[in-house]
């Protein structure tokens, strides 16, 4: 069953607690190639990340899916296990963090 979100104020869309709860499902259904783009970006950064010092900044990080995809692709429990890699997630919606 697909989650349905009925905002409290239909005139204003906010990334509130309700949206944060269903964001991944909503994003996968409404953003073309959402998961594939995360995978492609990880592949692009893989050589750079493994070759030395690197900082990756995800502006508008939402629920952190990009960094989870990165962790899974690199087969580590935590991104902090990768020497020389710094990751910064920027998200202005408190419920999305």
């Amino acid at each position: 069953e697909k989650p349905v979100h009925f905002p409290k104020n239909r005139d204003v869309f906010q990334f509130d607690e309700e949206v944060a709860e269903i964001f991944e499902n909503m994003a996968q259904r409404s953003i073309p190639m959402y998961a594939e783009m995360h995978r492609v970006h990880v592949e692009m950064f893989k050589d750079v990340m493994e070759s030395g010092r690197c900082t990756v900044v995800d502006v508008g990080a939402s629920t952190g899916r990009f960094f989870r995809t990165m962790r899974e692709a690199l087969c580590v429990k935590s991104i902090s296990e990768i020497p020389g890699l710094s990751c910064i997630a920027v998200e202005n919606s408190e419920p999305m963090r």
Side-chain angles (χ1 to χ4, degrees):
E1 186 173 309
K2 295 179 181 175
V4 177
H5 174 66
F6 296 104
K8 292 172 189 157
N9 181 349
R10 291 181 182 264
D11 296 330
V12 179
F13 182 84
Q14 295 179 334
F15 285 101
D16 58 14
E17 292 81 9
E18 292 176 54
V19 171
E21 236 177 82
I22 64 168
F23 181 79
E24 289 299 319
N25 181 284
M26 183 174 66
Q28 288 181 19
R29 289 184 294 116
S30 61
I31 301 171
M33 300 183 73
Y34 177 73
E36 179 66 7
M37 287 313 305
H38 284 111
R39 190 194 66 72
V40 167
H41 283 115
V42 168
E43 286 301 315
M44 286 171 42
F45 284 115
K46 219 172 188 180
D47 291 338
V48 175
M49 288 185 287
E50 293 174 346
S51 68
R53 190 134 194 88
C54 180
T55 300
V56 179
V57 180
D58 184 1
V59 178
S62 306
T63 59
R65 167 56 55 199
F66 175 70
F67 290 129
R68 285 196 306 277
T69 302
M70 185 185 299
R71 181 180 47 82
E72 292 163 4
L74 299 173
C75 301
V76 294
K77 290 183 182 179
S78 171
I79 289 178
S80 63
E81 294 177 26
I82 302 167
L85 177 63
S86 297
C87 294
I88 301 168
V90 178
E91 177 54 56
N92 69 345
S93 171
E94 184 69 36
M96 294 292 278
R97 296 182 199 161

